Amino acid sequence: MSGDIELDTLRLLIALVDAGSITAAARTRGISQPAASARIREFEARWQLSVVRRSPRGATLTTDGQAVVAWAREVLDSVDTMRAAMGALSQSRSANLHVAASLTLAEHLVPRWLGELHASRPACRPVLQVVNSESVAEAVRSGAVELGFVESRSLPAGLASRTVGRDRLVVVVARSHPWARRKAPLEVAELTAARWVLREAGSGTRGTFEAALGHEPRVALEATSTTALLGAVMAGVGPAVVSELSIRGELETGRLVAVPHPLDLRRPLRGVWRADQRLSAPARDLLAIALR
């Protein structure tokens, strides 16, 4: 006598009691009557018990069969409770999607993506962390978030990525700045000599500008938000480099002026995740939305 108890056979025996016959029980369980009879005989042989009494008038449970069914009801109640609890636990885990995004993406693109995700997965409750690109990459690497969105040309080792869009940085100044009347592109020497209003070190915007300029720029003011940065530019603190996604309104109203320059300030927008981990279904869906 060996082997595990077949839960399907226990359910068949309960169905026999509830339905009144092996044929009806087999129909309830979605199998044929011969298959149901064979399963019961196999159970009896394995456990050396007689659980069903067969007669021309039908099949009924023996005393041992009644005991088995009583135990089976308790066992299957526990199994069903455990299955439901595990399903709820799994659903809860998948519902909480932790995402990090750099400021430009978080302000202009990620909210729309999350809205589309909510439409297809209303039970999903994303948690969005807004930090600079360097911090996004670190959050993904540490496992604090599952999926990140950054605006950097280079990525740390251990991260997989997909390009979800393109962006371009623009050099902007206040209307009162001497560069505002400039028609010809600025010289690199002029860019190098200027004192800039920039995002903090570690931001994708700052990194893209420094890479294009070829060295660390002179800084008049650092800002961790686009609103503060643009306010400082309009106040005349200095020129800035910002995403064109962030300044369309200011350029249209003339509050800021875009200045021509020779630098290549194009950059990819990327979704990033740990290369050694498979994305959950909600994270895969969000990435697919971003890729559209």
Side-chain angles (χ1 to χ4, degrees), residues 16-266:
L16 171 58
V17 174
D18 295 340
S21 71
I22 293 179
T23 300
R27 189 181 306 114
T28 300
R29 300 303 303 159
I31 59 177
S32 66
Q33 187 275 334
S37 295
R39 184 172 293 177
I40 293 172
R41 285 195 295 270
E42 181 183 349
F43 179 87
E44 291 175 320
R46 173 177 293 183
W47 296 101
Q48 299 179 16
L49 295 172
S50 174
V51 296
V52 174
R53 182 183 300 109
R54 299 162 180 84
S55 71
R57 291 178 296 178
T60 58
L61 292 181
T62 64
T63 301
D64 287 347
Q66 293 172 1
V68 168
V69 166
W71 296 328
R73 291 189 189 276
E74 294 183 12
V75 169
L76 292 173
D77 282 346
S78 297
V79 168
D80 292 341
T81 298
M82 182 177 179
R83 181 179 288 115
M86 290 174 66
L89 185 63
S90 176
Q91 183 178 15
S92 174
R93 291 290 186 269
S94 64
N96 292 304
L97 172 62
H98 291 268
V99 181
S102 58
L103 187 61
T104 299
L105 282 151
E107 287 184 339
H108 301 284
L109 296 174
V110 176
R112 174 170 56 83
W113 298 342
L114 292 176
E116 292 186 37
L117 180 67
H118 176 73
S120 61
R121 286 183 174 271
C124 184
R125 298 185 299 277
V127 178
L128 176 62
Q129 181 180 351
V130 182
V131 289
N132 62 40
S133 290
E134 185 177 284
S135 297
V136 170
E138 181 54 37
V140 173
R141 290 182 66 186
S142 69
V145 301
E146 183 179 6
L147 182 63
F149 294 98
V150 298
E151 52 208 36
S152 301
R153 290 181 175 178
S154 60
L155 294 173
L159 295 185
S161 71
R162 290 286 303 276
T163 298
V164 299
R166 302 283 177 181
D167 186 28
R168 184 173 66 92
L169 301 182
V170 181
V171 174
V172 293
V173 295
R175 288 183 297 178
S176 59
H177 194 281
W179 290 358
R181 295 178 293 278
R182 186 76 178 242
K183 300 299 182 183
L186 295 165
E187 301 289 337
V188 174
E190 294 176 283
L191 296 169
T192 302
R195 298 184 70 226
W196 294 83
V197 178
L198 296 175
R199 288 285 310 281
E200 77 284 1
S203 77
T205 299
R206 175 79 168 263
T208 299
F209 178 51
E210 290 179 349
L213 190 61
H215 61 79
E216 188 173 337
R218 300 174 66 198
V219 179
L221 181 145
E222 287 188 353
T224 57
S225 77
T226 303
T227 301
L229 185 148
L230 296 181
V233 176
M234 286 185 278
V237 176
V241 177
V242 293
S243 166
E244 64 180 354
L245 294 172
S246 305
I247 55 163
R248 289 172 180 168
E250 286 75 10
L251 293 179
E252 290 173 358
T253 60
R255 288 183 293 173
L256 290 175
V257 178
V259 184
H261 59 83
L263 303 181
D264 181 6
L265 295 180
R266 295 169 297 177

